[in-house]
Amino acid sequence: MLLRLLSSASRATIAAKPHPPQTLAAAATSTTRRLADMAGNREAFRVAVANTLERRLFYVPSFKIYGGVAGLYDYGPPGCAVKANVLAFWRQHFVLEERMLEVDCPCVTPEVVLKASGHVEKFTDLMVKDEKAGSCYRADHLLKDFCKDKLERDTTLSPEKIGELNHILAVLDDLSAEQLGAKIKEYGIVAPDTKNLLSDPYPFNLMFQTSIGPSGLSAGYMRPETAQGIFVNFKDLYYYNGNKLPFAAAQIGQAFRNEISPRQGLLRVREFTLAEIEHFVDPEDKSHPKFSDVSDLEFLMFPREQQLTGRSATKLKLGGAVSEGTVNNETLGYFIGRVYLFLTQLGIDKDRLRFRQHLPNEMAHYAADCWDAEIECSYGWIECVGIADRSAYDLRAHSDKSGVPLEAHEKFAEPREVEKLVITPSKKELGLAFKGNQKMVLEALEAMGETEALDMKSTLESKGEVEFKVCTLGNDVTVKKNMVSINIEKKKEHQRKFTPSVIEPSFGIGRIIYCLFEHCFYQRTGKTEDELLNVFGFPPLVAPIKCTVFPLVKIEKFDVVAKKISKALTTAGISHIIDITGNSIGKRYARTDEIGVPLAITVDSTTSVTVRDRDSKDQIRVEVDEVASVVKEVTDGQSTWADIMWRYPAHTASAADEEEASET
């Protein structure tokens, strides 16, 4: 179901306390009927949400007076507040509770760092260009849109054609530039805007390139992710943490990707906020001491076996998924559980949240296991959080490129006797044989793994020489027995050195916020059946403003009380606004419901006031001196509205008080 009707607190209130004849349940039935029609039309729902968000300045296109720039958006006051609240809760839920080390690294990154990470070479999408107009499109998006449109709209497709189109969607990420180009030509796909022919697909690097300093000699890029800043600081962070594993580092910051064809609002943009965690762990021990805290959680999971066999996501218990090997290890499972709790506590509907395991064609060769937290919205299932076991790839890549060992160590209580592979090249013999290439051959010999080295040793002993591939030379060389000594020696070690593995949860904050907007949006009837009023049912945790203060009429004695309440709310750290416009109280309620304010205080006497709940529209009477503490109880999550309802007398609103008129 696309639209959330009532908060859990409101439902609890309905169950707990009787209502007058025009009950909330009756109103909800009417609202449900109206919304059911809308739920069948994703486009209409999306437009209603987007129009409300832009009109109430949650976010707007950047540089709008100049026509805007695709993929860039500005957050307005309520959008900034929601984003700040989401990030504050992220810090509390992860950084504080898990005792993570938070860092803040530059957005501008030297080229050498991103060469080591692989971004310079591989951070690309395949692009096609309108051969006449010059407009650019992502090749895979055009093919995907074509296949989906055919499957949804063409009722004449044969079973064979349906199977073919579904197969293309399944293997889309595996298609080469040549294969994508062939399919685009086969299906007659043209530029969407002009219907012109398209070029052959070619790779386009998504990073924004820049230069560091005025000379232009030091190349750099705007970072495409925040993770690299953590990896290059591993050595110092490890020391700061007392040379102990496991530990996690976290960073919140801007990232930049020069998307070929940005679309879908906040879901695919060119500048965005990431919140990333790099949890460093011993690759030989990926257990987690707090896994039992989340092992009983049960939620929608979509393992790769179910995807490959055409089945749907099903509810699985996290502990079972880890013990059965569906999830690779406890630490990865622990973070999957923590991500689930984070998203659902923000207000994401648990029935429209699933964890999908990456298919083999999506997995990097070095990754042990990867899962995406996907949230369903009007655009379909959207990846909002990636949780990956990246093994030791990143630290090894930066160690190799920088020459600085990014390692951890485990000290033994007693020395251990271990067998060690010892490769000793003869610099003299290598120099005589390879002259200027001596260094590259020597480094290649020293870099051999144990299996390769022992195979070489066996061949040298039996044949006296062996052909050996030196990648940096690009060809094979002949290595003779007198050029290298390879032995297994027994040594006593006092410690074990190793490169840690990393578990990485990466959060797309903009995507989470947009899905939250959709999950919290609903409409209810106004004065007439044909009038629909917009409401954002944000949990108090993320609501941009926690309450409003309305003097019922504009007279001095009510203004004095409103200012007194405002001062108490400010002292309690509660965000609020005072609305002293001459509009009816119903219009003021509707205006604040539309930006998701949970509570409204109406000043209608000098001794007590009414407090109204946004979702149920129930009201209670509270003494002026108590109202700030009551609001704080609810907005801090110490009590639900249902709890508060039992402690204070109900206020029966007159028809005029509850006039729900839309803003004009």
Side-chain angles (χ1 to χ4, degrees):
M1 182 178 175
L2 281 172
L3 305 173
R4 191 181 68 81
L5 297 177
L6 297 169
S7 69
S8 57
S10 301
R11 288 193 293 270
T13 305
I14 296 167
K17 201 164 186 176
H19 293 267
Q22 179 56 41
T23 63
L24 176 59
T29 301
S30 173
T31 303
T32 303
R33 186 178 65 253
R34 297 298 302 274
L35 295 181
D37 298 334
M38 198 177 192
N41 189 335
R42 287 173 177 251
E43 182 64 30
F45 173 73
R46 185 187 307 139
V47 169
V49 175
N51 287 346
T52 306
L53 290 170
E54 188 164 343
R55 181 166 48 80
R56 298 315 303 265
L57 210 59
F58 280 86
Y59 68 89
V60 292
S62 299
F63 318 112
K64 188 165 65 169
I65 63 172
Y66 290 100
V69 178
L72 297 177
Y73 290 91
D74 297 336
Y75 285 89
C80 276
V82 170
K83 182 178 177 182
N85 291 339
V86 169
L87 291 176
F89 182 55
W90 189 88
R91 278 194 170 96
Q92 176 191 325
H93 188 80
F94 291 106
V95 179
L96 294 181
E97 289 195 29
E98 306 296 338
R99 299 183 180 179
M100 295 177 178
L101 310 180
E102 187 171 1
V103 299
D104 187 0
C105 304
C107 294
V108 178
T109 307
E111 183 179 53
V112 65
V113 174
L114 294 165
K115 274 189 173 180
S117 66
H119 285 84
V120 171
E121 180 186 355
K122 298 178 180 177
F123 198 65
T124 59
D125 281 333
L126 291 171
M127 182 169 76
V128 290
K129 187 176 285 189
D130 182 322
E131 291 187 339
K132 291 183 179 179
S135 302
C136 298
Y137 306 92
R138 264 186 65 169
D140 60 332
H141 281 180
L142 292 182
L143 182 56
K144 179 167 70 173
D145 290 346
F146 172 85
C147 293
K148 284 189 171 182
D149 187 65
K150 276 286 188 184
L151 289 168
E152 290 173 4
R153 299 176 187 273
D154 192 340
T155 57
T156 65
L157 291 177
S158 66
E160 293 76 16
K161 197 65 176 179
I162 291 172
E164 176 189 328
L165 296 175
N166 279 321
H167 175 71
I168 290 172
L169 290 173
V171 301
L172 195 60
D173 291 335
D174 277 348
L175 297 182
S176 66
E178 293 76 18
Q179 290 170 320
L180 268 175
K183 286 296 178 186
I184 286 172
K185 287 179 181 176
E186 178 185 340
Y187 294 138
I189 298 172
V190 293
D193 302 320
T194 64
K195 309 306 178 188
N196 293 330
L197 295 177
L198 297 165
S199 69
D200 290 331
Y202 60 95
F204 172 76
N205 194 292
L206 299 178
M207 292 192 294
F208 286 98
Q209 189 166 14
T210 185
S211 60
I212 302 171
S215 69
L217 299 176
S218 180
Y221 295 88
M222 303 302 289
R223 65 184 180 190
E225 62 183 26
T226 66
Q228 302 308 317
I230 296 175
F231 295 137
V232 299
N233 280 304
F234 170 79
K235 187 175 182 179
D236 291 332
L237 291 168
Y238 181 58
Y239 175 77
Y240 181 87
N241 198 54
N243 295 327
K244 293 178 182 177
L245 283 183
F247 77 89
Q251 181 169 196
I252 296 170
Q254 296 302 98
F256 307 83
R257 297 180 186 178
N258 196 11
E259 293 284 352
I260 295 168
S261 49
R263 54 185 186 172
Q264 300 177 339
L266 293 181
L267 299 181
R268 189 170 294 280
V269 292
R270 288 178 165 137
E271 180 180 348
F272 50 95
T273 302
L274 284 178
E276 296 192 296
I277 296 165
E278 310 301 331
H279 181 91
F280 299 101
V281 64
D282 187 336
E284 295 182 5
D285 181 11
K286 294 181 181 179
S287 61
H288 198 287
K290 293 166 65 178
F291 181 67
S292 60
D293 293 352
V294 299
S295 61
D296 287 335
L297 291 174
E298 189 174 26
F299 46 80
L300 282 174
M301 300 188 77
F302 203 8
R304 64 172 64 96
E305 289 77 13
Q306 290 177 216
Q307 298 172 58
L308 293 170
T309 55
R311 291 177 288 165
S312 302
T314 54
K315 285 191 175 182
L316 297 176
K317 190 168 280 191
L318 185 56
V322 171
S323 64
E324 292 168 11
T326 304
V327 176
N328 185 268
N329 57 76
E330 278 191 4
T331 298
L332 184 65
Y334 177 74
F335 279 105
I336 289 173
R338 292 290 290 163
V339 168
Y340 170 80
L341 293 173
F342 170 74
L343 293 174
T344 52
Q345 287 173 37
L346 279 183
I348 296 298
D349 183 350
K350 68 181 189 315
D351 293 325
R352 294 159 62 199
L353 167 64
R354 72 182 185 190
F355 289 80
R356 187 185 69 84
Q357 189 175 30
H358 281 202
L359 295 172
N361 63 352
E362 298 175 275
M363 292 270 286
H365 67 277
Y366 52 78
D369 196 8
C370 301
W371 293 75
D372 289 339
E374 296 183 333
I375 303 173
E376 187 186 26
C377 69
S378 62
Y379 291 103
W381 288 97
I382 303 298
E383 172 200 343
C384 293
V385 187
I387 311 118
D389 183 338
R390 296 175 59 86
S391 299
Y393 171 80
D394 302 282
L395 294 182
R396 282 189 180 135
H398 287 298
S399 292
D400 292 344
K401 190 70 174 178
S402 68
V404 177
L406 301 177
E407 298 176 331
H409 58 265
E410 176 192 6
K411 290 186 177 179
F412 301 142
E414 297 290 336
R416 295 181 184 178
E417 188 172 84
V418 296
E419 290 187 339
K420 297 280 288 186
L421 175 69
V422 180
I423 301 172
T424 311
S426 170
K427 292 182 180 180
K428 177 182 176 182
E429 297 298 333
L430 292 174
L432 290 172
F434 303 112
K435 297 182 172 55
N437 293 328
Q438 178 216 39
K439 184 180 179 183
M440 286 185 279
V441 178
L442 184 144
E443 288 176 347
L445 288 169
E446 289 180 333
M448 286 191 296
E450 183 173 327
T451 302
E452 185 182 10
L454 292 177
D455 287 345
M456 177 180 282
K457 175 181 173 68
S458 175
T459 304
L460 288 174
E461 288 176 351
S462 61
K463 297 182 179 179
E465 63 182 39
V466 65
E467 292 301 302
F468 177 57
K469 185 173 182 62
V470 180
C471 294
T472 49
L473 280 177
N475 57 271
D476 291 352
V477 299
T478 301
V479 175
K480 297 185 177 179
K481 190 174 182 180
N482 63 341
M483 296 179 184
V484 62
S485 168
I486 302 171
N487 295 295
I488 297 290
E489 297 180 2
K490 289 186 176 181
K491 289 188 174 182
K492 283 193 174 182
E493 288 192 342
H494 295 269
Q495 65 177 10
R496 163 181 159 252
K497 290 184 179 180
F498 59 93
T499 304
S501 288
V502 63
I503 312 295
E504 180 191 71
S506 177
F507 299 73
I509 298 301
R511 290 185 171 197
I512 293 170
I513 288 172
Y514 179 77
C515 291
L516 182 66
F517 287 152
E518 283 206 8
H519 283 211
C520 290
F521 182 80
Y522 65 97
Q523 294 179 311
R524 59 187 172 205
T525 52
K527 289 186 296 183
T528 66
E529 281 290 312
D530 293 329
E531 182 182 33
L532 287 176
L533 303 178
N534 301 323
V535 183
F536 278 108
F538 297 122
L541 177 71
V542 295
I545 296 163
K546 307 306 181 188
C547 76
T548 49
V549 183
F550 302 144
L552 183 62
V553 291
K554 189 170 175 53
I555 57 176
E556 185 178 354
K557 64 179 181 179
F558 287 177
D559 287 350
V560 170
V561 174
K563 288 175 182 176
K564 179 181 178 181
I565 293 171
S566 175
K567 186 175 181 181
L569 292 169
T570 300
T571 302
I574 299 167
S575 62
H576 63 283
I577 53 175
I578 300 180
D579 187 341
I580 56 172
T581 60
N583 290 329
S584 70
I585 195 68
K587 284 188 177 181
R588 283 184 276 177
Y589 283 152
R591 190 162 57 237
T592 56
D593 289 348
E594 198 172 42
I595 59 171
V597 182
L599 300 173
I601 300 167
T602 302
V603 180
D604 52 7
S605 85
T606 57
T607 56
S608 67
V609 294
T610 66
V611 180
R612 170 190 180 268
D613 174 60
R614 174 197 60 217
D615 294 314
S616 68
K617 300 192 288 184
D618 286 332
Q619 299 184 39
I620 56 173
R621 293 211 67 84
V622 181
E623 297 295 314
V624 169
D625 292 338
E626 291 183 67
V627 70
S629 62
V630 168
V631 171
K632 188 170 180 62
E633 261 191 71
V634 176
T635 57
D636 282 358
Q638 300 167 24
S639 300
T640 65
W641 177 252
D643 298 331
I644 298 295
M645 284 278 291
W646 286 112
R647 288 167 33 200
Y648 293 92
H651 173 78
T652 304
S654 68
D657 287 344
E658 270 303 327
E659 176 197 22
E660 295 287 357
S662 57
E663 187 175 7
T664 58

